Amino acid sequence: MNIAVLSGKGGAGKTFVAVNLTMVVPHALYVDADVEEPDGRFFFPADNLEAKDVTVGVPVVDPHLCTGCRKCVDFCRFHALSFINGAVRTFPKLCHACGGCMLVCPEGAITECRKPVGRIRAGRYFDHRLLFGELIPGEQTGVPVIEELLADIGEVEHAIIDCPPGAGCPVTACVQATDYCLVVMEPTRFGVHDFIATERLLKTLGKPYGVILNKSTSASTPGGQYCIDNALPVLARIPYDPAIASIHSEGKLVVEENEAQGHNFIDLRERLQKEVGR
Amino acid sequence: MRIAMPVEFTSPSPANEVAENFARAQTFVICETESEKCEIVKNSAQNTTSGAGVKAAQIIIDQDADAVIARRIGENAFDIFKEAHLPVYKAEYVTVEENLAAFSRETLPLYVSPSPKGYRKRRGRPV
């Protein structure tokens, strides 16, 4: 099964949950798909990472074939093409590599050239395979890196996918390849607000999901109340505890350092198996 | 000469203020320096999610403008105007009229590099 670890709000604890959950699921593959801010690597001191580039096709216009009809310029909703002094100029930084300009050009004047937008590193940590996606800073979208990451998962029993925050295209790309979504919620009003955006996306995509309440202080938080009111399964609660935060901030795995959390994550694994099996 | 300026008004008036931002302005005013006639062009790049500068610069070029006066100019728009040999002047005065007069006196400074990044027009703010 592929489990996506999501959150609406950034800083809710996606990486915290994903790396620790990976450690309690034997042979689980860890995928860092939060390509804009990849920090999963800090928790797995894996050496000898294999790296490969992720490239996208950006347009190159042949000025001899271009008749200046501007169909490509009008088509591009990202405004990555403009028409200046009788010629098409491209802005690869704005390009989302959809390939639409090549399709609409009646002269076949547009071809693609490969441009690197990110890289994927692969490694191992004990019995876990690791895949880390990284977007080159300044690039428009992490979706091509995420799609290639997910393609690299291959046949595995369990994959834990550490997703980007929010509810936009990168999250949608991640969620499509998963069987179940674990949404980490910071139980504040802010956290609930952003959770609802992600929840709407998951409902639209028809994906089953459950909640982890992170930095949980008591049952009477806005997040806890939201889960009760909407009958959402709360698979785990992680207490608001400086000791846990301190272990995590040093790049250590809390399941290895804190016995109570070790049990908490094993319980999470058990509950997750029941939820996914339903 | 046709001089383009970003504004936030839908009817041309010399007393209009030059907009804070180029690519995200509501409209552009294009003023003929000889006839002193002004026309308004809608900025369809105003609410675009990305590449507003490219699109807005395209609108100005397609209007056969000869120069641009703006308070701020982004990197992409700056690059396009440079390539199209369209000079961009810094709006040092409040209104369209004052800036146009300064342009005629040749006292407006020319942009030699784009404005710093990070500016976004705030929605719902009084104009």
Side-chain angles (χ1 to χ4, degrees):
Chain A
M1 64 180 176
N2 290 350
I3 306 290
V5 182
L6 308 163
S7 76
K9 184 181 164 297
K14 288 176 299 301
T15 298
F16 173 76
V17 168
V19 294
N20 286 292
L21 179 61
T22 301
M23 293 309 289
V24 298
V25 178
H27 310 296
L29 161 67
Y30 170 82
V31 183
D32 194 353
D34 189 2
V35 300
E36 289 176 40
E37 289 171 53
D39 55 1
R41 270 181 72 184
F42 301 136
F43 302 92
F44 303 105
D47 297 327
N48 305 324
L49 294 174
E50 275 177 51
K52 68 165 181 179
D53 282 340
V54 177
T55 61
V56 296
V58 296
V60 179
V61 184
D62 184 339
H64 302 296
L65 293 176
C66 177
T67 58
C69 73
R70 299 175 59 142
K71 282 195 174 130
C72 56
V73 175
D74 296 337
F75 174 82
C76 185
R77 61 182 292 186
F78 305 108
H79 309 113
L81 301 139
S82 71
F83 193 71
I84 318 162
N85 301 340
V88 175
R89 185 194 196 282
T90 61
F91 290 82
K93 272 230 176 292
L94 296 174
C95 179
H96 285 229
C98 72
C101 52
M102 293 170 225
L103 291 175
V104 299
C105 177
E107 310 301 327
I110 307 178
T111 49
E112 65 172 34
C113 111
R114 304 307 294 182
K115 182 187 86 152
V117 291
R119 64 184 68 82
I120 292 174
R121 294 177 208 272
R124 285 202 152 270
Y125 184 67
F126 293 100
D127 61 332
H128 302 283
R129 239 178 89 211
L130 311 164
L131 287 173
F132 305 109
E134 279 170 38
L135 184 70
I136 294 173
E139 284 302 327
Q140 281 291 309
T141 168
V143 171
V145 182
I146 291 167
E147 283 175 346
E148 197 148 328
L149 265 176
L150 299 178
D152 285 355
I153 288 180
E155 287 293 310
V156 289
E157 202 180 348
H158 302 297
I160 311 293
I161 304 165
D162 192 354
C163 298
C169 295
V171 177
T172 310
C174 289
V175 168
Q176 272 165 1
T178 58
D179 305 302
Y180 190 86
C181 299
L182 260 184
V183 191
V184 185
M185 191 208 288
E186 186 185 275
T188 58
R189 287 188 64 176
F190 183 7
V192 172
H193 174 273
D194 285 7
F195 172 84
I196 291 169
T198 300
E199 189 181 28
R200 276 178 58 198
L201 172 73
L202 299 179
K203 281 183 173 165
T204 306
L205 296 173
K207 289 289 176 184
Y209 59 94
V211 181
I212 293 185
L213 292 174
N214 189 21
K215 309 177 209 175
S216 179
T217 48
S218 68
S220 61
T221 56
Q225 194 58 45
Y226 183 85
C227 293
I228 293 167
D229 293 346
N230 294 279
L232 297 177
V234 176
L235 274 57
R237 286 172 198 273
I238 295 152
Y240 186 59
D241 181 352
I244 295 173
S246 160
I247 294 166
H248 188 70
S249 69
E250 286 169 29
K252 292 178 185 161
L253 292 155
V254 80
V255 288
E256 289 178 347
E257 306 280 330
N258 179 309
E259 205 182 330
Q261 284 313 304
H263 291 301
N264 199 10
F265 272 87
I266 288 167
D267 290 346
L268 167 63
R269 181 190 70 198
E270 306 295 316
R271 290 217 50 189
L272 197 54
Q273 276 167 342
K274 279 187 198 142
E275 283 293 317
V276 175
R278 284 205 302 169
Chain B
M1 275 183 93
R2 288 166 67 77
I3 315 300
M5 278 171 262
V7 290
E8 301 289 357
F9 293 87
T10 48
S11 61
S13 157
N16 289 168
E17 291 179 14
V18 174
E20 282 294 315
N21 191 8
F22 169 72
R24 302 276 178 190
Q26 192 185 346
T27 48
F28 296 112
V29 61
I30 312 233
C31 301
E32 288 272 3
T33 48
E34 293 80 16
S35 65
E36 294 187 352
K37 271 186 188 158
C38 290
E39 57 182 302
I40 288 280
V41 180
K42 196 173 171 292
N43 178 15
S44 52
Q46 187 191 6
N47 293 316
T48 188
T49 50
S50 93
V54 175
K55 170 100 174 157
Q58 184 78 61
I59 293 166
I60 302 296
I61 289 170
D62 292 346
Q63 288 291 325
D64 287 323
D66 300 296
V68 178
I69 302 175
R71 285 198 200 292
R72 299 177 44 85
I73 191 87
E75 193 180 344
N76 288 331
F78 179 84
D79 286 352
I80 291 181
F81 288 136
K82 195 173 165 189
E83 206 163 306
H85 305 295
L86 224 79
V88 183
Y89 295 91
K90 189 166 170 50
E92 290 204 315
Y93 299 89
V94 176
T95 67
V96 167
E97 193 175 32
E98 290 164 335
N99 281 296
L100 217 49
F103 172 81
S104 300
R105 294 194 303 270
E106 295 180 18
T107 60
L108 288 184
L110 204 57
Y111 269 104
V112 288
S113 63
S115 307
K117 283 187 176 189
Y119 184 86
R120 282 277 189 276
K121 196 179 92 175
R122 270 169 285 170
R123 279 169 204 277
R125 126 176 189 248
V127 286

